[in-house]
Amino acid sequence: MAPASVEGVPPTVVDLRRAPRVPFLGALLVVGVLAASAGYGACTSRSVPIGVIGGVLAVVFLLCLVALPGVLRTRRLVIDHEGVRLERGGRRPEWRVAWTELAGVGLVRNDRERQRIARRFRANPLGNVPPGVVAVTVSVELVPTGTEAVRRHPEMARYLRLGHGEAWRVPLIVSMGEPLPIADALRRRRPDLWRGERSGPALLG
C-alpha cells in the first residue's frame, strides 16, 4: 500500500486564469475610453483616419468583452491530502484524481520553447527572457495505477497520452512569467510518487 499523503501540509491552490483580473479590467477600461473618444472625435471632426482608429479600437473592445467571462471565471488546480483536482467555480470540480489512483506524478515544462524564443529575440536563454515574450506553460502528468483507474475517469480521456507510458497529461497555461508552485507542492505532498520535471512541448503529446 502506498504511503499516505503527508499530514499537516496545507492545500496548494494555483490560479490558472489566463490573465490577472485587475490588469485585464484596466486594459479593457482604457481601450473602451479610447474607442469612445475616437468615435466622438470622428463624429465632430468628420475625420476619416480618426474614424478608422475608433473602429479598430471598438473591435478590440468587443473582443475583450467576449473574452471577459473566461478571464473572470475561476480556474484553479488544487493539490491536497486527497489528491489533485481542477476547479472551475462550480459545486463539483471538473475532475478529481485521488492519490490512491496514481502510480506517479510529474511535470513537462516548455523550457526549450522559451530558449528558442529567447534566441529569436536575441536575448539570453531563459532567465533574461522579457516577461510577456512567452507564457509559462506546464503540463501536469498523472500516471494512473492501471486500466481500472482509467475506466473510473472517463472525463480524463482527452488528456490520456501514450508517448511516455500511459498517463494523463493536463496542460495548464498560467499568467506570463509567473513562477509555478506545482512541482514543490507535488513533491512535498507525495514524494513517493514524484517523477520529476522534464523539458518538452507542454501542450503536445
Side-chain angles (χ1 to χ4, degrees):
M1 181 179 297
S5 176
V6 177
E7 297 296 337
V9 179
T12 298
V13 181
V14 182
D15 191 347
L16 300 175
R17 285 171 297 195
R18 294 183 179 179
R21 293 185 180 186
V22 174
F24 185 88
L25 293 176
L28 181 62
L29 178 61
V30 170
V31 171
V33 171
L34 290 176
S37 300
Y40 178 78
C43 291
T44 56
S45 65
R46 297 184 179 180
S47 171
V48 174
I50 295 179
V52 171
I53 294 174
V56 172
L57 290 174
V59 171
V60 173
F61 181 73
L62 290 176
L63 291 176
C64 290
L65 285 181
V66 172
L68 186 60
V71 173
L72 299 180
R73 185 183 302 118
T74 299
R75 184 172 182 261
R76 55 179 176 251
L77 185 75
V78 180
I79 304 169
D80 60 14
H81 68 284
E82 295 181 349
V84 185
R85 66 182 184 271
L86 183 67
E87 297 181 345
R88 288 188 178 271
R91 293 184 177 181
R92 296 183 178 181
E94 182 172 310
W95 54 262
R96 180 202 303 268
V97 181
W99 295 119
T100 54
E101 299 174 303
L102 294 174
V105 294
L107 292 181
V108 179
R109 301 178 58 89
N110 68 331
D111 291 337
R112 293 177 183 174
E113 297 173 34
R114 288 173 62 81
Q115 290 176 337
R116 176 178 58 80
I117 294 176
R119 289 193 296 268
R120 178 178 298 178
F121 281 83
R122 297 181 180 179
N124 293 326
L126 291 182
N128 294 329
V129 176
V133 171
V134 59
V136 177
T137 307
V138 169
S139 285
V140 177
E141 283 196 332
L142 307 173
V143 183
T145 53
T147 55
E148 181 62 24
V150 173
R151 186 188 63 80
R152 284 196 298 267
H153 292 281
E155 75 282 3
M156 301 291 286
R158 65 176 182 263
Y159 301 125
L160 194 62
R161 308 290 184 181
L162 304 176
H164 297 274
E166 191 172 64
W168 293 304
R169 186 184 296 183
V170 183
L172 307 172
I173 303 178
V174 300
S175 301
M176 298 291 188
E178 286 192 2
L180 295 170
I182 301 174
D184 290 339
L186 292 172
R187 187 187 305 111
R188 182 172 65 251
R189 181 68 66 173
R190 288 304 298 263
D192 57 305
L193 299 181
W194 177 243
R195 296 192 175 186
E197 301 181 52
R198 57 187 176 84
S199 181
L203 294 181
L204 302 176

